[in-house]
Amino acid sequence: MADQRPVAGRLARRTGATRSVLSRYGRRGLGMLRRTPFPRPTLRGWTVTVAGIGLVLAGLATSMSVAVTAGLLLVVLVVLGVVTALAVAAPLRASRSAPRAVVQVGEVYRERVTLRGSGMRFAPRSTLLVTEQLDDVFVSTAEPMSLLAVGPATPPAVLDVEALAISRGRGLVGPVTVRVEDPFGLLRIDRPVVSAEEVVVVPASVPLAALDSAALAGAVSADEGRVGQGGSADDSELRPYRPGDPIRRVHWGQSAKRGGLHVRQTTQAQPPEAVVALDVRRESYQQLGRDDLAELADLGGDQAFEHAVVVAASVARALSARTSRVALVTDGPGGDVRHSGDAGGLSEVLVGLADVSVRSGARDVPEVLHGVRGRDVHGMTAVVTGHCTLDQAAELVSATNGSSRGLLVTVVPPDPAVRGVLDRAGWRVLVVPVPGSATAGRTR
Protein backbone atom coordinates (compact mmCIF):
# COMPACT_ATOMS: atom_id res chain seq x y z
CA MET A 1 0.00 0.00 0.00
CA ALA A 2 2.82 2.39 0.83
CA ASP A 3 4.41 1.71 -2.58
CA GLN A 4 1.14 2.28 -4.49
CA ARG A 5 0.37 5.77 -3.04
CA PRO A 6 3.13 7.65 -4.95
CA VAL A 7 2.07 5.89 -8.17
CA ALA A 8 -1.59 6.79 -7.60
CA GLY A 9 -0.63 10.42 -6.86
CA ARG A 10 1.45 10.71 -10.04
CA LEU A 11 -1.35 9.16 -12.09
CA ALA A 12 -3.88 11.61 -10.61
CA ARG A 13 -1.63 14.58 -11.39
CA ARG A 14 -1.07 13.41 -14.96
CA THR A 15 -4.78 12.85 -15.40
CA GLY A 16 -5.53 16.33 -14.08
CA ALA A 17 -2.90 17.92 -16.31
CA THR A 18 -4.23 16.07 -19.35
CA ARG A 19 -7.77 17.10 -18.54
CA SER A 20 -6.67 20.73 -18.13
CA VAL A 21 -4.86 20.72 -21.48
CA LEU A 22 -7.81 19.12 -23.26
CA SER A 23 -10.20 21.56 -21.65
CA ARG A 24 -8.07 24.53 -22.69
CA TYR A 25 -7.73 23.36 -26.29
CA GLY A 26 -11.40 22.44 -26.33
CA ARG A 27 -12.46 25.93 -25.29
CA ARG A 28 -10.11 27.44 -27.85
CA GLY A 29 -11.46 25.18 -30.58
CA LEU A 30 -15.07 25.98 -29.70
CA GLY A 31 -14.26 29.68 -29.77
CA MET A 32 -12.73 29.32 -33.24
CA LEU A 33 -15.74 27.37 -34.47
CA ARG A 34 -18.14 30.02 -33.14
CA ARG A 35 -16.27 32.68 -35.12
CA THR A 36 -16.23 30.56 -38.26
CA PRO A 37 -19.28 30.46 -40.55
CA PHE A 38 -20.62 27.03 -41.38
CA PRO A 39 -19.54 25.76 -44.83
CA ARG A 40 -21.90 26.43 -47.70
CA PRO A 41 -22.21 23.85 -50.48
CA THR A 42 -21.09 24.80 -53.95
CA LEU A 43 -22.99 23.74 -57.04
CA ARG A 44 -20.91 20.58 -57.12
CA GLY A 45 -21.54 20.07 -53.42
CA TRP A 46 -25.32 20.34 -53.85
CA THR A 47 -25.14 17.90 -56.75
CA VAL A 48 -23.13 15.36 -54.74
CA THR A 49 -25.36 15.75 -51.67
CA VAL A 50 -28.60 15.34 -53.61
CA ALA A 51 -27.15 12.41 -55.55
CA GLY A 52 -25.99 10.68 -52.36
CA ILE A 53 -29.32 11.09 -50.58
CA GLY A 54 -31.16 10.00 -53.70
CA LEU A 55 -29.07 6.84 -54.05
CA VAL A 56 -29.61 5.96 -50.39
CA LEU A 57 -33.38 6.40 -50.67
CA ALA A 58 -33.55 4.55 -53.96
CA GLY A 59 -31.42 1.71 -52.62
CA LEU A 60 -33.61 1.37 -49.55
CA ALA A 61 -36.77 1.37 -51.70
CA THR A 62 -35.44 -1.24 -54.12
CA SER A 63 -33.37 -3.21 -51.59
CA MET A 64 -30.18 -2.54 -53.59
CA SER A 65 -27.24 -2.50 -51.20
CA VAL A 66 -24.88 -1.22 -53.90
CA ALA A 67 -26.92 1.98 -54.33
CA VAL A 68 -27.12 2.48 -50.58
CA THR A 69 -23.35 2.04 -50.24
CA ALA A 70 -22.63 4.46 -53.10
CA GLY A 71 -24.99 7.03 -51.62
CA LEU A 72 -23.43 6.74 -48.18
CA LEU A 73 -19.97 7.21 -49.69
CA LEU A 74 -21.10 10.42 -51.33
CA VAL A 75 -22.58 11.68 -48.06
CA VAL A 76 -19.39 10.74 -46.18
CA LEU A 77 -17.42 12.66 -48.83
CA VAL A 78 -19.46 15.78 -48.06
CA VAL A 79 -18.96 15.32 -44.31
CA LEU A 80 -15.20 14.99 -44.83
CA GLY A 81 -15.29 18.20 -46.84
CA VAL A 82 -17.02 19.98 -43.93
CA VAL A 83 -14.41 18.75 -41.47
CA THR A 84 -11.51 19.71 -43.76
CA ALA A 85 -12.86 23.20 -44.47
CA LEU A 86 -13.47 23.90 -40.79
CA ALA A 87 -10.00 22.59 -39.88
CA VAL A 88 -8.45 25.14 -42.25
CA ALA A 89 -10.76 28.11 -41.64
CA ALA A 90 -11.15 27.99 -37.86
CA PRO A 91 -7.48 28.61 -36.84
CA LEU A 92 -6.91 31.46 -39.33
CA ARG A 93 -5.57 34.70 -37.83
CA ALA A 94 -4.92 37.96 -39.64
CA SER A 95 -3.89 41.54 -38.92
CA ARG A 96 -3.91 44.80 -40.84
CA SER A 97 -1.14 47.39 -40.64
CA ALA A 98 -1.66 50.82 -42.21
CA PRO A 99 0.64 53.81 -41.65
CA ARG A 100 -2.13 56.41 -41.80
CA ALA A 101 -5.83 56.62 -41.07
CA VAL A 102 -6.14 60.03 -42.79
CA VAL A 103 -5.20 60.48 -46.44
CA GLN A 104 -5.61 63.30 -48.92
CA VAL A 105 -7.51 63.16 -52.19
CA GLY A 106 -5.05 62.10 -54.86
CA GLU A 107 -2.80 60.22 -52.45
CA VAL A 108 -2.36 56.46 -52.35
CA TYR A 109 -3.57 54.59 -49.28
CA ARG A 110 -1.35 51.62 -48.47
CA GLU A 111 -1.82 48.77 -46.06
CA ARG A 112 -0.49 45.27 -45.43
CA VAL A 113 -2.60 42.28 -44.40
CA THR A 114 -0.74 39.43 -42.71
CA LEU A 115 -2.41 36.01 -42.60
CA ARG A 116 -1.39 33.07 -40.42
CA GLY A 117 -2.77 29.57 -40.33
CA SER A 118 -2.62 26.79 -37.76
CA GLY A 119 0.73 26.10 -36.15
CA MET A 120 0.06 22.39 -35.60
CA ARG A 121 2.26 20.04 -37.58
CA PHE A 122 -0.60 17.84 -38.73
CA ALA A 123 -2.70 20.82 -39.94
CA PRO A 124 -3.42 20.85 -43.69
CA ARG A 125 -1.63 23.21 -46.06
CA SER A 126 -4.02 25.24 -48.21
CA THR A 127 -4.08 27.99 -50.79
CA LEU A 128 -6.72 30.57 -49.91
CA LEU A 129 -8.30 33.52 -51.70
CA VAL A 130 -7.83 36.65 -49.54
CA THR A 131 -9.89 39.72 -50.46
CA GLU A 132 -9.90 43.26 -49.03
CA GLN A 133 -13.08 45.32 -49.42
CA LEU A 134 -12.72 48.99 -50.42
CA ASP A 135 -15.28 51.79 -50.15
CA ASP A 136 -16.33 54.05 -53.02
CA VAL A 137 -13.95 56.83 -51.94
CA PHE A 138 -11.09 54.60 -53.12
CA VAL A 139 -10.17 53.02 -56.41
CA SER A 140 -7.66 50.20 -56.27
CA THR A 141 -4.54 50.54 -58.37
CA ALA A 142 -4.21 46.74 -58.23
CA GLU A 143 -6.78 44.03 -57.55
CA PRO A 144 -7.17 43.87 -53.74
CA MET A 145 -7.17 40.07 -53.69
CA SER A 146 -4.61 37.32 -53.96
CA LEU A 147 -4.13 33.58 -53.56
CA LEU A 148 -2.03 32.99 -50.44
CA ALA A 149 -0.62 29.72 -49.09
CA VAL A 150 -0.93 28.99 -45.37
CA GLY A 151 0.15 25.95 -43.40
CA PRO A 152 2.16 24.76 -40.42
CA ALA A 153 5.59 25.09 -42.08
CA THR A 154 4.73 28.18 -44.13
CA PRO A 155 5.75 31.75 -43.22
CA PRO A 156 2.93 34.28 -42.71
CA ALA A 157 1.25 35.19 -45.98
CA VAL A 158 1.19 38.88 -46.93
CA LEU A 159 -1.28 40.86 -49.04
CA ASP A 160 -0.23 44.42 -49.94
CA VAL A 161 -3.09 46.73 -50.88
CA GLU A 162 -2.78 50.10 -52.63
CA ALA A 163 -5.78 52.29 -53.35
CA LEU A 164 -6.06 55.81 -54.74
CA ALA A 165 -8.27 58.23 -52.80
CA ILE A 166 -10.59 59.84 -55.35
CA SER A 167 -13.16 61.73 -53.23
CA ARG A 168 -13.29 63.24 -49.76
CA GLY A 169 -15.29 61.70 -46.94
CA ARG A 170 -15.17 58.85 -44.51
CA GLY A 171 -14.67 55.46 -46.13
CA LEU A 172 -14.44 51.93 -44.81
CA VAL A 173 -11.55 49.62 -45.57
CA GLY A 174 -12.46 46.02 -45.00
CA PRO A 175 -13.45 43.58 -43.82
CA VAL A 176 -10.75 41.20 -45.00
CA THR A 177 -12.36 37.91 -46.00
CA VAL A 178 -10.74 34.56 -46.67
CA ARG A 179 -12.36 31.97 -48.91
CA VAL A 180 -11.70 28.37 -47.88
CA GLU A 181 -12.73 25.39 -50.03
CA ASP A 182 -12.39 21.71 -49.29
CA PRO A 183 -10.09 19.62 -51.51
CA PHE A 184 -13.06 18.23 -53.44
CA GLY A 185 -14.60 21.60 -54.27
CA LEU A 186 -17.87 20.68 -52.55
CA LEU A 187 -18.00 23.32 -49.80
CA ARG A 188 -16.95 26.92 -49.31
CA ILE A 189 -16.39 29.18 -46.29
CA ASP A 190 -16.09 32.97 -46.57
CA ARG A 191 -14.70 33.98 -43.21
CA PRO A 192 -14.00 37.61 -42.18
CA VAL A 193 -10.62 37.67 -40.47
CA VAL A 194 -10.07 41.44 -40.04
CA SER A 195 -12.89 43.86 -39.25
CA ALA A 196 -13.55 47.03 -41.23
CA GLU A 197 -11.76 50.24 -40.25
CA GLU A 198 -12.58 53.85 -41.04
CA VAL A 199 -10.25 55.95 -43.17
CA VAL A 200 -10.83 59.70 -43.57
CA VAL A 201 -10.09 61.25 -46.96
CA VAL A 202 -9.46 65.00 -46.61
CA PRO A 203 -9.60 67.53 -49.47
CA ALA A 204 -6.60 68.28 -51.63
CA SER A 205 -5.14 71.77 -52.23
CA VAL A 206 -5.05 74.28 -55.04
CA PRO A 207 -2.23 76.81 -55.62
CA LEU A 208 -2.89 80.05 -53.73
CA ALA A 209 0.27 82.02 -54.42
CA ALA A 210 -1.64 85.30 -54.49
CA LEU A 211 -3.06 84.58 -51.07
CA ASP A 212 0.35 83.79 -49.60
CA SER A 213 2.05 86.90 -50.96
CA ALA A 214 -0.62 89.54 -50.54
CA ALA A 215 -3.74 88.89 -48.48
CA LEU A 216 -2.20 86.58 -45.92
CA ALA A 217 1.00 88.55 -45.40
CA GLY A 218 -0.93 91.79 -44.94
CA ALA A 219 -3.35 90.28 -42.46
CA VAL A 220 -0.71 88.66 -40.31
CA SER A 221 1.53 91.71 -40.13
CA ALA A 222 -1.42 93.94 -39.24
CA ASP A 223 -2.55 91.61 -36.50
CA GLU A 224 0.92 91.29 -35.04
CA GLY A 225 1.20 95.07 -34.90
CA ARG A 226 -1.67 95.33 -32.46
CA VAL A 227 -0.09 92.96 -29.92
CA GLY A 228 2.29 95.72 -28.87
CA GLN A 229 6.01 95.39 -29.05
CA GLY A 230 6.67 98.61 -27.20
CA GLY A 231 3.85 100.57 -28.76
CA SER A 232 2.78 102.16 -25.46
CA ALA A 233 4.64 103.29 -22.38
CA ASP A 234 2.92 101.17 -19.72
CA ASP A 235 5.04 100.19 -16.76
CA SER A 236 4.77 96.55 -17.72
CA GLU A 237 6.53 97.28 -21.03
CA LEU A 238 9.49 99.17 -19.52
CA ARG A 239 12.47 98.03 -17.47
CA PRO A 240 15.65 99.71 -16.23
CA TYR A 241 18.48 100.03 -18.69
CA ARG A 242 21.16 97.34 -18.55
CA PRO A 243 24.60 97.55 -20.15
CA GLY A 244 24.45 96.16 -23.63
CA ASP A 245 20.87 97.24 -24.39
CA PRO A 246 20.55 99.01 -27.76
CA ILE A 247 20.19 102.77 -27.46
CA ARG A 248 17.28 102.76 -29.92
CA ARG A 249 15.17 100.92 -27.33
CA VAL A 250 15.55 103.66 -24.71
CA HIS A 251 12.24 105.41 -23.97
CA TRP A 252 13.50 108.94 -23.43
CA GLY A 253 10.23 110.39 -22.19
CA GLN A 254 9.77 107.86 -19.40
CA SER A 255 13.50 107.93 -18.62
CA ALA A 256 13.24 111.70 -17.96
CA LYS A 257 10.21 111.23 -15.73
CA ARG A 258 11.75 108.44 -13.71
CA GLY A 259 15.20 109.91 -13.39
CA GLY A 260 17.01 106.99 -15.03
CA LEU A 261 17.30 105.23 -18.35
CA HIS A 262 14.49 102.83 -19.13
CA VAL A 263 14.13 100.66 -22.20
CA ARG A 264 11.10 99.14 -23.84
CA GLN A 265 10.52 95.55 -22.73
CA THR A 266 10.48 93.48 -25.95
CA THR A 267 8.07 90.57 -25.94
CA GLN A 268 7.57 88.15 -28.75
CA ALA A 269 4.13 88.83 -30.17
CA GLN A 270 1.91 85.84 -30.45
CA PRO A 271 0.83 85.06 -34.01
CA PRO A 272 -2.81 85.91 -34.66
CA GLU A 273 -5.60 83.41 -34.79
CA ALA A 274 -7.72 82.84 -37.87
CA VAL A 275 -11.10 81.43 -38.75
CA VAL A 276 -12.13 79.90 -42.06
CA ALA A 277 -15.89 80.10 -42.61
CA LEU A 278 -17.27 77.86 -45.35
CA ASP A 279 -20.64 78.67 -46.89
CA VAL A 280 -22.69 75.43 -47.18
CA ARG A 281 -25.86 76.92 -48.68
CA ARG A 282 -26.72 75.25 -51.97
CA GLU A 283 -28.06 78.47 -53.50
CA SER A 284 -24.61 80.05 -53.13
CA TYR A 285 -23.23 77.63 -55.71
CA GLN A 286 -26.05 77.65 -58.26
CA GLN A 287 -26.40 79.97 -61.26
CA LEU A 288 -22.96 81.50 -60.86
CA GLY A 289 -22.96 83.09 -64.30
CA ARG A 290 -20.47 80.66 -65.79
CA ASP A 291 -20.64 79.47 -69.37
CA ASP A 292 -23.77 77.55 -70.37
CA LEU A 293 -22.03 74.17 -70.55
CA ALA A 294 -20.62 74.53 -67.03
CA GLU A 295 -23.99 75.60 -65.63
CA LEU A 296 -25.82 72.70 -67.29
CA ALA A 297 -23.25 70.22 -66.00
CA ASP A 298 -23.60 71.57 -62.45
CA LEU A 299 -27.25 72.47 -61.95
CA GLY A 300 -27.21 71.46 -58.28
CA GLY A 301 -23.99 73.32 -57.53
CA ASP A 302 -22.25 70.20 -56.23
CA GLN A 303 -19.18 70.62 -58.41
CA ALA A 304 -18.76 74.26 -57.40
CA PHE A 305 -19.19 73.34 -53.72
CA GLU A 306 -16.57 70.59 -53.93
CA HIS A 307 -14.21 73.14 -55.43
CA ALA A 308 -15.00 75.53 -52.58
CA VAL A 309 -14.15 72.80 -50.06
CA VAL A 310 -10.77 72.32 -51.74
CA VAL A 311 -10.19 76.07 -51.66
CA ALA A 312 -11.13 76.20 -47.96
CA ALA A 313 -8.61 73.45 -47.23
CA SER A 314 -5.95 75.38 -49.14
CA VAL A 315 -6.72 78.58 -47.23
CA ALA A 316 -6.58 76.71 -43.91
CA ARG A 317 -3.22 75.17 -44.78
CA ALA A 318 -1.82 78.55 -45.81
CA LEU A 319 -3.09 80.28 -42.67
CA SER A 320 -1.75 77.58 -40.38
CA ALA A 321 1.80 78.40 -41.41
CA ARG A 322 1.50 81.98 -40.10
CA THR A 323 -1.07 81.84 -37.33
CA SER A 324 -1.19 80.23 -33.92
CA ARG A 325 -4.52 78.52 -34.54
CA VAL A 326 -7.00 78.01 -37.35
CA ALA A 327 -10.67 77.29 -36.73
CA LEU A 328 -13.09 76.00 -39.34
CA VAL A 329 -16.65 77.27 -38.93
CA THR A 330 -19.61 75.86 -40.85
CA ASP A 331 -23.35 75.71 -40.35
CA GLY A 332 -24.31 72.22 -39.25
CA PRO A 333 -27.84 70.80 -39.17
CA GLY A 334 -28.00 71.42 -35.42
CA GLY A 335 -26.22 74.78 -35.32
CA ASP A 336 -22.75 76.14 -35.97
CA VAL A 337 -19.98 73.56 -36.10
CA ARG A 338 -16.39 74.42 -35.23
CA HIS A 339 -13.30 72.34 -35.94
CA SER A 340 -10.14 73.76 -34.39
CA GLY A 341 -6.64 72.88 -35.48
CA ASP A 342 -3.09 73.94 -34.72
CA ALA A 343 -0.27 75.13 -36.89
CA GLY A 344 1.37 71.73 -36.91
CA GLY A 345 -1.14 69.39 -38.47
CA LEU A 346 -4.57 70.93 -39.03
CA SER A 347 -5.90 67.41 -38.81
CA GLU A 348 -9.14 68.36 -37.07
CA VAL A 349 -9.87 71.17 -39.55
CA LEU A 350 -9.22 68.94 -42.55
CA VAL A 351 -11.31 66.13 -41.08
CA GLY A 352 -14.08 68.66 -40.58
CA LEU A 353 -13.85 69.60 -44.25
CA ALA A 354 -14.10 65.93 -45.14
CA ASP A 355 -17.49 65.79 -43.39
CA VAL A 356 -19.16 68.97 -44.66
CA SER A 357 -21.99 68.79 -47.18
CA VAL A 358 -23.96 71.32 -49.16
CA ARG A 359 -27.64 71.62 -48.37
CA SER A 360 -30.63 73.87 -48.88
CA GLY A 361 -31.89 76.01 -46.02
CA ALA A 362 -28.55 76.45 -44.28
CA ARG A 363 -27.79 79.70 -42.45
CA ASP A 364 -25.80 82.47 -44.06
CA VAL A 365 -22.15 82.89 -43.09
CA PRO A 366 -22.65 86.20 -41.19
CA GLU A 367 -25.23 84.50 -38.95
CA VAL A 368 -22.78 81.72 -38.18
CA LEU A 369 -19.97 84.20 -37.47
CA HIS A 370 -22.22 86.09 -35.04
CA GLY A 371 -22.59 82.85 -33.07
CA VAL A 372 -18.84 82.36 -32.69
CA ARG A 373 -17.87 85.99 -32.23
CA GLY A 374 -15.46 86.40 -29.34
CA ARG A 375 -14.50 82.72 -29.27
CA ASP A 376 -13.00 81.94 -32.68
CA VAL A 377 -12.82 85.28 -34.48
CA HIS A 378 -9.76 87.00 -33.03
CA GLY A 379 -7.46 87.56 -36.00
CA MET A 380 -8.06 86.99 -39.66
CA THR A 381 -11.44 85.92 -41.05
CA ALA A 382 -11.51 84.07 -44.37
CA VAL A 383 -14.93 83.41 -45.92
CA VAL A 384 -15.20 80.86 -48.74
CA THR A 385 -18.37 80.94 -50.85
CA GLY A 386 -19.65 80.66 -54.42
CA HIS A 387 -20.66 84.29 -54.87
CA CYS A 388 -21.35 87.28 -52.63
CA THR A 389 -24.13 89.86 -52.92
CA LEU A 390 -24.03 93.45 -51.72
CA ASP A 391 -26.17 92.71 -48.66
CA GLN A 392 -24.02 89.74 -47.75
CA ALA A 393 -20.86 91.83 -48.04
CA ALA A 394 -22.28 94.46 -45.66
CA GLU A 395 -23.30 91.74 -43.19
CA LEU A 396 -19.84 90.16 -43.36
CA VAL A 397 -18.16 93.46 -42.58
CA SER A 398 -20.56 93.99 -39.67
CA ALA A 399 -20.11 90.45 -38.33
CA THR A 400 -16.31 90.69 -38.30
CA ASN A 401 -15.96 94.31 -37.22
CA GLY A 402 -12.91 94.54 -34.97
CA SER A 403 -10.95 91.66 -36.47
CA SER A 404 -7.68 92.68 -38.05
CA ARG A 405 -8.30 91.59 -41.62
CA GLY A 406 -10.88 89.85 -43.76
CA LEU A 407 -10.54 87.72 -46.87
CA LEU A 408 -13.39 86.79 -49.21
CA VAL A 409 -12.73 83.81 -51.48
CA THR A 410 -15.32 83.28 -54.22
CA VAL A 411 -15.77 81.03 -57.22
CA VAL A 412 -16.91 83.90 -59.48
CA PRO A 413 -15.81 87.57 -59.29
CA PRO A 414 -18.09 89.79 -57.16
CA ASP A 415 -19.70 92.94 -58.47
CA PRO A 416 -17.79 96.25 -58.28
CA ALA A 417 -20.19 97.48 -55.59
CA VAL A 418 -19.37 94.44 -53.45
CA ARG A 419 -15.67 95.07 -53.94
CA GLY A 420 -16.13 98.67 -52.88
CA VAL A 421 -17.79 97.71 -49.61
CA LEU A 422 -15.10 95.18 -48.83
CA ASP A 423 -12.25 97.51 -49.84
CA ARG A 424 -13.47 100.24 -47.51
CA ALA A 425 -13.52 97.71 -44.65
CA GLY A 426 -9.98 96.52 -45.38
CA TRP A 427 -11.04 93.20 -46.86
CA ARG A 428 -9.28 91.47 -49.72
CA VAL A 429 -10.99 89.48 -52.46
CA LEU A 430 -9.62 86.29 -53.97
CA VAL A 431 -11.35 84.63 -56.94
CA VAL A 432 -10.52 80.95 -57.50
CA PRO A 433 -12.72 79.69 -60.37
CA VAL A 434 -13.69 76.09 -60.91
CA PRO A 435 -11.17 74.40 -63.24
CA GLY A 436 -12.41 74.65 -66.81
CA SER A 437 -14.40 77.82 -66.18
CA ALA A 438 -13.81 80.90 -68.29
CA THR A 439 -13.54 83.16 -65.19
CA ALA A 440 -10.02 84.22 -64.24
CA GLY A 441 -8.99 84.67 -60.61
CA ARG A 442 -7.20 87.59 -59.09
CA THR A 443 -6.64 89.16 -55.68
CA ARG A 444 -7.26 92.70 -54.54
Side-chain angles (χ1 to χ4, degrees), residues 223 226 270-275 322-327 375-381 404:
D223 199 72
R226 68 179 177 89
Q270 293 296 323
E273 299 177 356
V275 58
R322 305 196 184 196
T323 57
S324 61
R325 186 176 70 95
V326 175
R375 285 178 291 173
D376 290 323
V377 185
H378 299 303
M380 183 179 183
T381 302
S404 61

Side-chain angles (χ1 to χ4, degrees), residues 390 393-394 397 416-427:
L390 185 60
V397 172
V418 174
R419 287 185 179 271
V421 171
L422 296 174
D423 287 343
R424 286 192 296 271
W427 280 58

Side-chain angles (χ1 to χ4, degrees), residues 148-186:
L148 303 179
V150 296
T154 305
V158 173
L159 171 64
D160 291 320
V161 178
E162 293 185 353
L164 180 67
I166 58 174
S167 61
R168 65 178 181 88
R170 296 176 181 265
L172 289 178
V173 175
V176 179
T177 58
V178 178
R179 173 163 292 182
V180 180
E181 293 186 353
D182 69 299
F184 315 109
L186 304 178

Side-chain angles (χ1 to χ4, degrees), residues 8-337:
R10 289 195 298 268
L11 181 60
R13 287 194 296 270
R14 290 178 181 177
T15 303
T18 303
R19 186 181 304 163
S20 176
V21 171
L22 292 177
S23 176
R24 184 170 65 252
Y25 279 102
R27 288 194 301 269
R28 185 181 301 178
L30 288 176
M32 292 179 180
L33 290 176
R34 281 196 297 266
R35 294 191 300 268
T36 305
F38 195 78
R40 294 177 300 147
T42 61
L43 181 60
R44 183 187 302 176
W46 283 114
T47 303
V48 172
T49 303
V50 172
I53 296 175
L55 286 174
V56 171
L57 294 178
L60 292 176
T62 59
S63 300
M64 294 180 60
S65 59
V66 176
V68 174
T69 303
L72 290 176
L73 288 176
L74 292 178
V75 173
V76 169
L77 189 65
V78 174
V79 173
L80 288 177
V82 171
V83 174
T84 304
L86 289 175
V88 174
L92 289 177
R93 294 169 297 158
S95 60
R96 177 194 291 118
S97 60
R100 292 181 300 172
V102 178
V103 296
Q104 182 177 307
V105 172
E107 292 182 345
V108 177
Y109 168 79
R110 294 180 174 88
E111 69 172 20
R112 169 166 290 186
V113 178
T114 305
L115 181 67
R116 297 175 177 84
S118 175
M120 298 183 179
R121 289 180 294 178
F122 56 83
R125 178 188 175 101
S126 304
T127 301
L128 311 176
L129 178 64
V130 182
T131 306
E132 173 70 294
Q133 306 293 329
L134 296 175
D135 212 339
D136 293 337
V137 298
F138 298 103
V139 58
S140 179
T141 56
E143 198 67 25
M145 61 177 61
S146 179
L147 291 173
L148 303 179
V150 296
T154 305
V158 173
L159 171 64
D160 291 320
V161 178
E162 293 185 353
L164 180 67
I166 58 174
S167 61
R168 65 178 181 88
R170 296 176 181 265
L172 289 178
V173 175
V176 179
T177 58
V178 178
R179 173 163 292 182
V180 180
E181 293 186 353
D182 69 299
F184 315 109
L186 304 178
L187 299 154
R188 176 182 299 164
I189 298 177
D190 290 324
R191 182 192 168 188
V193 291
V194 181
S195 59
E197 295 181 2
E198 185 181 72
V199 178
V200 181
V201 181
V202 300
S205 299
V206 293
L208 294 178
L211 171 66
D212 292 335
S213 61
L216 180 60
V220 172
S221 61
D223 199 72
E224 287 178 342
R226 68 179 177 89
V227 179
Q229 297 202 23
S232 64
D234 294 340
D235 294 344
S236 60
E237 296 179 351
L238 296 175
R239 63 170 176 82
Y241 174 83
R242 290 195 292 261
D245 288 337
I247 296 298
R248 65 178 180 273
R249 285 169 46 190
V250 174
H251 195 291
W252 298 106
Q254 291 294 323
S255 298
K257 290 180 180 180
R258 302 183 185 194
L261 292 178
H262 281 72
V263 298
R264 293 182 177 88
Q265 177 70 47
T266 58
T267 57
Q268 181 64 37
Q270 293 296 323
E273 299 177 356
V275 58
V276 178
L278 176 63
D279 191 356
V280 297
R281 298 174 304 145
R282 184 175 296 276
E283 53 269 24
S284 297
Y285 302 96
Q286 294 176 318
Q287 299 178 0
L288 299 179
R290 297 169 291 178
D291 56 90
D292 295 339
L293 184 59
E295 290 294 342
L296 288 175
D298 191 24
L299 290 176
D302 297 289
Q303 181 182 357
F305 176 74
E306 290 299 323
H307 177 67
V309 173
V310 173
V311 172
S314 306
V315 172
R317 288 187 176 100
L319 290 173
S320 68
R322 305 196 184 196
T323 57
S324 61
R325 186 176 70 95
V326 175
L328 170 67
V329 177
T330 61
D331 181 42
D336 61 276
V337 179

